[in-house]
Every structure is written in C-alpha cells, then in structure tokens.
Amino acid sequence: MKKAMILVIDGCAPSYIQPKLAPNLFELSQRLGFFKTVQCAMPSVTNVNHACILSGKWPEETKISGNYYYNPLTKQEGFIEEQGYMKAKTILQYYQALGAKTALLTVKGKILGVYGEGADIGISAQAPERALLERYQLEPPPAIDSVESTRWIMKAAYQCIKMENPEFVYCTTNDFIFHHFAPGTKEAAEQIAAVDEYIKKIVLLDPERQIYITADHGMNQKTTIVNFQLLAARAGFDVYCLPPLKDRYIENHIYQEGGTLYLFVKHKAQMEDFYRFADENPLIEQILTKEQAADMYHLPAEQIGDYVLFAAEGVAFGEAQTEILYTQHSRTHGSLYEREIPLIALNPERTESEYQYAKDIAVYLMR
C-alpha cells in the first residue's frame, strides 16, 4: 500500500506561497511532482472542503454544506462540530478498512470532531490529550490563533510519521493568520516557512511517501459587509439568512462575514418579489434557486434554503449591527473569489493535468 499525506493549509490563497518564502516546496515540486492551482468546492468554507478533500466527493454526497446548519421545519440550528453530519466515506476510513494505520492532526478541534472517524491517531492542538503529547514528545501547544500553532502541528505530524509511520496522514492548520495578514507580511511568511521546513524534513524521513499540500479555501480582503437579514427586513421580506461560513472561531471573522448566503423565504408568496429584489442589488454577484445552485455547484438542495446568494468582489455577507458596514479590517472567504487554491504534489498518484479540484487527491488515492 502506498503511504500518503495530505496537508491542508487553512485559508491559503496561492499568492501566499512564493519561492523566496518556500524554497523547499518549490525545489521538491520541480524534482518530485508539480505545483499548480486548482479549485475548491463551493461554498469556499472550511467544513465543506475538508469533507470533499477527505472523501473525493462533492457536497451533494458528503451532505456537508457549511460550518452551520438550519432546519426550517424544526427551527433547529447550530454549529457542525461532531460526528454524524459527514455522510460520505473518508480516505481515513478507506485506509483503515484495508488494515492500514491512519492519523488526523489538526489545529482546529472541530476537524477531529467532525471527521475523526477512521483515525487511529487523533491530535488536536485545541484540546490535546496529555498521553499523546508525551508519546510524541511534544510540548503543550500554543494558542491556536498564532503562527506558532502551525509550527506545532507540523512538528506533531513529523513526530507521528517518525515514530508510528502511519500509512495515511491528514494534517491541517488554522487560518487565523491569513484572516489577519495579507501575502508578503511577516506573519504570513512565518507560517509558510514553518510548512516549508517540516515538509522537507518529512520528505527526508520518508522519501517515497506521496505528499499533497493544498488548502480548503482562499482568502481575500473585503471592504463592504452587508447584513442582508436587515436589508431584506427593511424591504418587507420575512427571511432567514444562513451564512455557511459561520463558526465558533469568532477571532477569524468577527462579523461571521463570508461570501455565500443560504436564504430561506418564510412566506412562499414572496419568492418572486424577493428574487427580483436580490437580483437588482449590486452587492450580489449572483442569485441562484436552490435547484440551480445544487446543479451548478453539486450542493445538497434540501440544505441550502430557497436561494443561494454569492457576494460581489470585495463584499461579504455578515452579522454587522448596520445594513452596510465599510471596513479595511476584514479578510475572509466563502465567495466565488476564494475558490482558487494551491496544490503541491510530491510523488503524485496521477499526472498534473488530472488534478482540477482539491478533492481529486482522494479520488485517485482511493482508486
């Protein structure tokens, strides 16, 4: 069985990875594989894309359509943080079923909570087990909203491979730094440097292992935040707005601002009027019916409301106190503009042209 590792650099737009910041990644990709850009699934948020990368399936099959859920029949809503939501078989389960050892290492605790089934070894920087820290000779982790958390989880992955040699390793960081610092900044450079350093160490340790480095979504500056719930209410529409980006990591996006919105129209008699209202708003890039969105972006139609709204460039839907908020302090994702992500493949299963989406990694590994 071929050993493999997938590293997901949370929120890493391609522009963050430059030759002067990641000389090892560029040298290794030229010698052992390739470096290209691919696309993530929509909406471009964390839970959706970890589900796709881990399974090789679209959201219509994983049934993960966001970080948050809302049931219009029961009015129940909440954060997606534990097992039971993911409906597609993951590559962790695939390897484990073949008798192979697997590991999932994450900075954000919810990744282990939602996708941990099938992991023989599970390490979370947010809530680490003392026994695992001792086992892998790791210091207690730093705050997860720090550059140091990336270096810590990369070291954990290295130690795990060195001491346990699992056939499959899935490792992911936190996007706090990229939410606050643009490409070229010292903080962003330090995060990429930590990845660059430890990937070289892992390759030297296990030169035959397939290694895939990608992202769950990109990241961009947003200057306009629109509270569409307030905007729609003032226009006389009774709706529920579900931002699929919404999660507990409020330090990453204080207004829960993101580029996609699921819109539930409570009175069906308002459906056509609402469509016209949203379609005429210049802050909206595109409005799709749930059927159109499901077909175009492979989404589960039963979970995404009546309409799906995509924000225009530089705009995010958020839970601000006013209808429109102009700011220079929001870097976020979720829109069509954060769909482009990097893919560095070392000893890849297939040729460069055969990878178009991040989820293709699992598709080919599980064949």
Side-chain angles (χ1 to χ4, degrees), residues 72-141:
L73 298 178
T74 64
K75 309 304 183 196
Q76 289 181 315
E77 59 184 286
F79 298 103
I80 297 174
E81 299 175 316
E82 62 276 335
Q83 291 183 16
Y85 294 97
M86 175 66 167
K87 302 303 181 183
K89 180 180 179 180
T90 70
I91 191 169
L92 290 161
Q93 294 167 306
Y94 171 82
Y95 268 79
Q96 193 179 67
L98 295 175
K101 184 181 292 185
T102 62
L104 193 165
L105 305 98
T106 175
V107 173
K108 292 179 177 177
K110 73 170 184 176
I111 304 302
L112 187 58
V114 178
Y115 306 108
E117 185 177 355
D120 297 304
I121 303 163
I123 298 177
S124 161
Q126 191 169 357
E129 295 181 22
R130 179 179 296 274
L132 291 177
L133 296 181
E134 295 175 355
R135 180 174 168 184
Y136 297 118
Q137 302 171 13
L138 298 169
E139 296 295 323

Side-chain angles (χ1 to χ4, degrees), residues 200-216:
K200 181 179 180 179
K201 289 182 176 181
I202 291 170
V203 170
L204 290 174
L205 181 68
D206 193 355
E208 301 300 318
R209 182 180 291 268
Q210 294 188 28
I211 300 177
Y212 302 89
I213 303 153
T214 188
D216 50 349

Side-chain angles (χ1 to χ4, degrees), residues 88-288:
K89 180 180 179 180
T90 70
I91 191 169
L92 290 161
Q93 294 167 306
Y94 171 82
Y95 268 79
Q96 193 179 67
L98 295 175
K101 184 181 292 185
T102 62
L104 193 165
L105 305 98
T106 175
V107 173
K108 292 179 177 177
K110 73 170 184 176
I111 304 302
L112 187 58
V114 178
Y115 306 108
E117 185 177 355
D120 297 304
I121 303 163
I123 298 177
S124 161
Q126 191 169 357
E129 295 181 22
R130 179 179 296 274
L132 291 177
L133 296 181
E134 295 175 355
R135 180 174 168 184
Y136 297 118
Q137 302 171 13
L138 298 169
E139 296 295 323
I144 66 169
D145 54 348
S146 66
V147 173
E148 290 75 21
S149 69
T150 295
R151 181 171 295 277
W152 189 91
I153 203 69
M154 291 302 303
K155 180 180 179 180
Y158 172 78
Q159 290 290 93
C160 180
I161 292 172
K162 181 179 179 180
M163 301 175 71
E164 301 279 355
N165 196 25
E167 280 82 1
F168 180 75
V169 176
Y170 191 81
C171 180
T172 178
T173 66
N174 182 8
D175 55 355
F176 172 84
I177 295 300
F178 297 151
H179 268 290
H180 293 84
F181 299 98
T185 59
K186 174 178 177 289
E187 292 81 359
E190 288 176 357
Q191 179 145 312
I192 296 302
V195 171
D196 188 65
E197 175 188 342
Y198 274 96
I199 288 298
K200 181 179 180 179
K201 289 182 176 181
I202 291 170
V203 170
L204 290 174
L205 181 68
D206 193 355
E208 301 300 318
R209 182 180 291 268
Q210 294 188 28
I211 300 177
Y212 302 89
I213 303 153
T214 188
D216 50 349
H217 54 76
M219 191 76 69
N220 278 309
Q221 184 80 31
K222 307 296 179 179
T223 56
T224 304
I225 299 173
V226 53
N227 187 324
F228 209 79
Q229 189 82 48
L230 295 180
L231 209 65
R234 184 168 61 82
F237 297 104
D238 189 7
V239 300
Y240 177 90
C241 295
L242 170 59
L245 173 139
K246 185 173 181 175
D247 63 24
R248 293 191 194 277
Y249 301 95
I250 195 71
E251 65 276 7
N252 289 353
H253 26 73
I254 62 172
Y255 303 107
Q256 300 287 13
E257 68 270 27
T260 300
L261 201 63
Y262 297 149
L263 208 297
F264 297 79
V265 180
K266 295 182 180 180
H267 302 295
K268 301 310 176 187
Q270 294 186 325
M271 292 282 286
E272 291 185 9
D273 289 340
F274 176 82
Y275 182 91
R276 284 192 292 270
F277 165 75
D279 191 44
E280 293 170 358
N281 192 311
L283 299 176
I284 295 174
E285 175 94 2
Q286 187 179 51
I287 176 172
L288 300 175

Side-chain angles (χ1 to χ4, degrees), residues 41-43 47-49 51-52 55-66 85-89 262 290-304 359:
M42 287 297 296
N47 273 5
V48 171
N49 280 285
C52 294
S55 67
K57 305 292 185 183
W58 291 112
E60 62 191 0
E61 294 180 82
T62 69
K63 302 303 181 184
I64 300 287
S65 56
Y85 294 97
M86 175 66 167
K87 302 303 181 183
K89 180 180 179 180
Y262 297 149
K290 64 180 179 182
E291 293 83 7
Q292 290 172 325
D295 181 63
M296 189 175 297
Y297 297 112
H298 310 283
L299 292 165
E302 69 278 8
Q303 297 179 7
I304 59 176
K359 75 176 190 66

Side-chain angles (χ1 to χ4, degrees), residues 22-41:
N24 296 318
L25 294 183
F26 277 84
E27 188 275 328
L28 290 168
S29 66
Q30 291 176 349
R31 181 163 55 87
L32 300 177
F34 60 82
F35 185 174
K36 66 179 297 187
T37 58
V38 294
Q39 287 193 324
C40 70

